[in-house]
Amino acid sequence: MSDPENHSSFIKTPKQLVITVLLSFLIPIIGIALLVHLVVQRPSADPSALKPESIAARIQPVGRVVIAGTPEAMKEGAAAPMVAKPAAKAAGPADGKSVYNSACVACHGAGVAGAPKTGDKAAWAARLAAGIEGMTKTAINGKGAMPPRGGNAALSDAEVRAAVEFMIGQSK
């Protein structure tokens, strides 16, 4: 058995006993209180981060489609829609050269995506067989890689026809 005389305790006075008992209760209580405080009142970088308006602003779409002339496009502060605005139309007949330079030259000037180059008689020979009416109809409706109206939906039928006539004139 063990000898009671050789056994010693670090608590030698009643004062040390009271302090030890109090600390054994207070230290766990303080630790629990700090943990509860940390969990319940977590610090946030931005106190308004969880407001519905802030959340909606963060998850809104990157872009949107707005059609010119609609009430949404007319709202003050709305983003300017990315649409081609037609140039002011002259009162007289359509100018084929200006229409060609604004809509057609990008492809027909360099022969992009199989477009016949303006001035290339061999490339236009087969197309001339369809006549000006057939070529105008093709230009209005689009064909292959060419979008309708050469990609400028604001062009009138008369302007498309004028551009076709201009290209035919350059390719004869």
Side-chain angles (χ1 to χ4, degrees):
M1 291 217 206
S2 68
D3 187 15
E5 292 178 15
N6 290 338
H7 181 71
S8 67
S9 172
F10 65 92
I11 302 173
K12 304 216 185 288
T13 65
K15 182 179 178 182
Q16 289 177 339
L17 179 64
V18 170
I19 292 173
T20 304
V21 169
L22 285 176
L23 288 178
S24 67
F25 284 111
L26 287 178
I27 290 175
I29 290 173
I30 292 171
I32 291 170
L34 289 174
L35 284 173
V36 168
H37 180 71
L38 178 68
V39 170
V40 171
Q41 297 194 8
R42 256 191 330 200
S44 174
D46 184 10
S48 65
L50 295 179
K51 290 185 179 177
E53 299 85 21
S54 298
I55 293 170
R58 286 193 309 269
I59 64 171
Q60 73 178 347
V62 175
R64 62 183 173 160
V65 176
V66 179
I67 300 173
T70 61
E72 185 178 346
M74 301 298 181
K75 284 182 188 175
E76 193 171 325
M82 301 295 287
V83 294
K85 295 183 180 178
K89 298 192 180 196
D95 179 22
K97 184 175 182 180
S98 65
V99 174
Y100 169 79
N101 287 332
S102 69
C104 308
V105 73
C107 296
H108 287 284
V112 175
K117 285 184 176 183
T118 304
D120 184 356
K121 293 177 183 176
W124 284 93
R127 291 168 176 84
L128 290 172
I132 195 157
E133 293 300 325
M135 291 175 65
T136 301
K137 184 177 179 184
T138 300
I140 290 171
N141 297 326
K143 180 179 181 181
M146 183 178 78
R149 299 182 188 276
N152 185 351
L155 292 176
S156 68
D157 290 354
E159 289 171 321
V160 174
R161 182 181 177 100
V164 169
E165 289 173 352
F166 174 78
M167 287 189 280
I168 290 172
Q170 298 295 312
S171 303
K172 283 187 177 181

